[in-house]
Amino acid sequence: MKRTLHFLFSAIIFCSMISCGENEKPAGEEEIFWIHSYPMVCNLNLPNSNLCLGISRTAEPEFDFSALERIPAEIEGFTLKPYTVQQIKVLKITQTNQEEPVRKLIEILAEEKDYYELLEGTWEVKSHLGESLPNANFPDGQTVYLTPPIKRTANSTDGCNSISLEIRKVGPDQIQSFGGMMTTAMACIDKTPISPFPGLGNKFKREGNTLTFYTDKPGEETIWVKKH
C-alpha cells in the first residue's frame, strides 16, 4: 500500500513538471493585427536586410509603411495572400531558449483587397488632356515606373530631376492616399518643369495593358500603356 501511494504521489509531481494532460493548451498570449500581403525589409536603414512581415495593430489597415511594425516572416499555419491585406488572430508563444517568439495562426478575421497590382509596372504615357505624346509640353514623351510592392513608389522625371512618390492605399478605381515625394533637387537652367505623373491622382480604369485616368470633365483623360 505504501509503495502504491508513493508511486501515485511521484506520478503527480512528474506530471506537474512536464505538463501532463491531453487537452492542455500551450502557454502564450493572443494577438490581433493586420498583415500586409507582401514581405518588407526588417530594417529600413539596411535595404539588404532579411525580409519580415509588416503588421499594424490598428482598427483599420495602416498604409503608412514607415509606421508598420516588423515581425519575423514565419507564422505557423499562415500563408500570405497576394495583394490582400488580412486581419488575423495568432497565439504568441515566448520561449526562453529562442530570441524570437513563435506565432501560430488561430483565425483569419477579415480581408481587404489591395489594388496596387493594377498600377505596378513600367508605363508609357500616350496622351494627356486629349493631346498625344510627345508634344510641346512633353517633348521627350513621358514614362512612369511603379515599383514592385515591397518598395511601392511611382518614379519618373519633371524634365530635369528624378521624382519618387510613395503610393499608399489603392482602391479599385483611384489611389486613395499618397506618401511623401522625393526629388534629386538639381538646379535646372532653361527647363520648364513638366508633370512627372500625369493623371495619376485621378480616377482610373484598367483594361488589359491600358490605364485610363479621367475626371468628370470631358477631354481630360490621360492614357498610359504598359511597356513591361
Side-chain angles (χ1 to χ4, degrees), residues 95 110 160:
Q95 299 175 337
C160 175

Side-chain angles (χ1 to χ4, degrees), residues 6-62:
H6 178 74
F7 174 78
L8 290 174
F9 182 69
S10 299
I12 291 171
I13 294 176
F14 180 73
C15 278
S16 66
M17 292 175 62
I18 64 171
S19 300
C20 292
E22 295 180 358
N23 297 322
E24 185 171 347
K25 295 181 180 179
E29 60 178 312
E30 290 186 357
E31 294 180 309
I32 294 177
F33 48 77
W34 289 94
I35 186 165
H36 286 265
S37 61
Y38 51 89
M40 53 190 63
V41 292
C42 298
N43 188 332
L44 291 174
N45 297 319
L46 298 173
N48 295 323
S49 68
N50 294 333
L51 293 179
C52 283
L53 299 177
I55 69 168
S56 55
R57 302 178 190 270
T58 48
E60 299 294 330
E62 174 63 73

